[in-house]
Amino acid sequence: MTVSNFKLSATWKEGWLTASLHFTLAGATSINVSVRPVAPGSPLAHKVYAVTGSAAETIKLPVRPRPGDYVMNVSGAAPTRFTIPTPAEGISDSATISTTVGGKSTRTIANAHELWVRFHFLVPPTGAKTVKVEWRTPSFTFVGAVTKPYATTIDSDLKSNAALPKGTWYAILMVGGKIAKRQDVRVT
């Protein structure tokens, strides 16, 4: 059994990975292919192929793996190591909006005068010292932004003396001009 023409195709968008491994298998048998972290951990993907001769194959990876070193094991062949790169904007795994700093997350707020967003980074941005949080109205009009030093948890607020206009409001976490995560809340 041989594995050749190995290629990782991977793109990140707002903390979600679209990735697949492309490779050619040569052999005449049923072949098990598994992908797992180099460090101990659960398999990322597994597939069985029936190959006669040589065949180009693809295995899709899940959307939420952690960046790092992985290995593709093919029965009867040497392991193939590869790295899932860290996106420059990092990976924010959660975002919540509430009416108080660190408050209970909600999807709908009545008569809001104040909104708080909390973003959490699972993986830090590559080399970034600061992050920016933008606020946008229901018509997606820019309201304001704040730049903060990078931290694992980022909080930002939006305040108004009058009730905020009804509709869906947006908080957007940006790193180096790229969107890392966005969260919305409906004001009624």
Side-chain angles (χ1 to χ4, degrees), residues 46-166:
H46 179 263
K47 195 168 182 181
V48 177
Y49 298 92
V51 176
T52 301
S54 180
E57 302 292 352
T58 299
I59 190 166
K60 289 190 178 233
L61 300 181
V63 296
R64 293 301 281 204
R66 289 189 75 135
D69 294 327
Y70 289 83
V71 63
M72 182 178 78
N73 291 307
V74 177
S75 53
T80 303
R81 286 181 68 127
F82 65 97
T83 300
I84 294 177
T86 299
E89 66 275 18
I91 299 173
S92 175
D93 62 341
S94 67
T96 59
I97 293 185
S98 62
T99 56
T100 59
V101 65
K104 184 178 175 187
S105 177
T106 186
R107 300 290 294 161
T108 305
I109 300 172
N111 298 316
H113 289 259
E114 184 173 1
L115 299 175
W116 280 88
V117 66
R118 172 168 280 183
F119 293 102
H120 179 265
F121 278 97
L122 176 67
V123 176
T126 307
K129 302 280 190 239
T130 61
V131 300
K132 181 167 80 170
V133 177
E134 282 188 1
W135 287 93
R136 295 192 176 257
T137 68
S139 64
F140 213 68
T141 302
F142 176 81
V143 175
V146 62
T147 299
K148 296 185 165 220
Y150 166 77
T152 303
T153 302
I154 302 292
D155 291 306
S156 178
D157 68 320
L158 176 68
K159 294 179 184 177
S160 173
N161 291 332
L164 295 170
K166 294 178 180 182

